[in-house]
């Protein structure tokens, strides 16, 4: 994204731990596009332990910022397309 003159900093992050985990637990993480807006998007995250129980869930909101002006700008079409195909 830096090649296109944009950055994607986090605007908000929320996580809820539902089961305890240890450092050596294997987890799978599912990420889906929850919301796609003109200048921002939100990802939903779900972490499952090896046996399938949900260990955590959360959301990550990101905003598209111009690296030159440091102001919010529209998501590039290439990123928008990638987010649509994964969400």
């Amino acid at each position: 994204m830096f090649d296109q003159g944009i950055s994607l900093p986090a605007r908000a992050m929320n996580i809820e731990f539902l089961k305890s985990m240890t450092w050596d637990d294997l987890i799978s993480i599912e990420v889906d596009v929850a919301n796609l807006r003109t200048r921002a998007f939100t990802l939903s995250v779900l972490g499952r332990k090896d046996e399938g129980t949900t260990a955590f869930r959360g959301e990550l909101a990101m905003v598209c910022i111009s690296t030159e002006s440091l102001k919010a700008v529209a998501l590039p079409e290439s990123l928008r397309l990638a987010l649509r195909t994964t969400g």
Side-chain angles (χ1 to χ4, degrees), residues 22 27 36 39 41-42 50-51 56 58 69 73 75 82 84:
T22 61
I27 58 170
L36 184 56
R39 297 178 176 155
F41 59 94
T42 303
D50 240 4
E51 70 277 4
F56 62 88
S69 70
V73 295
L75 295 170
R84 276 192 200 125

Side-chain angles (χ1 to χ4, degrees), residues 1 3-4 6 10 17 19 21-22 25 32 34 37 40 49 58 61-62 66 68 76-77 80 85-86:
M1 297 282 91
D3 292 342
Q4 296 182 41
I6 64 166
F17 291 95
K19 298 284 182 188
M21 296 182 302
T22 61
D25 279 347
D32 290 307
R37 298 174 44 178
K49 295 177 89 168
M62 305 186 76
S66 164
E68 187 176 312
E77 193 55 37
R80 183 174 294 286
T85 58
T86 59

Side-chain angles (χ1 to χ4, degrees), residues 10-18 29-30 34 41-47 55-62:
R11 185 182 60 78
M13 184 173 17
N14 169 3
I15 190 165
E16 179 182 14
F17 291 95
L18 305 167
I29 299 175
E30 297 173 25
F41 59 94
T42 303
L43 302 174
S44 65
V45 180
L46 185 67
F56 62 88
R57 63 178 168 222
E59 287 189 339
L60 174 62
M62 305 186 76

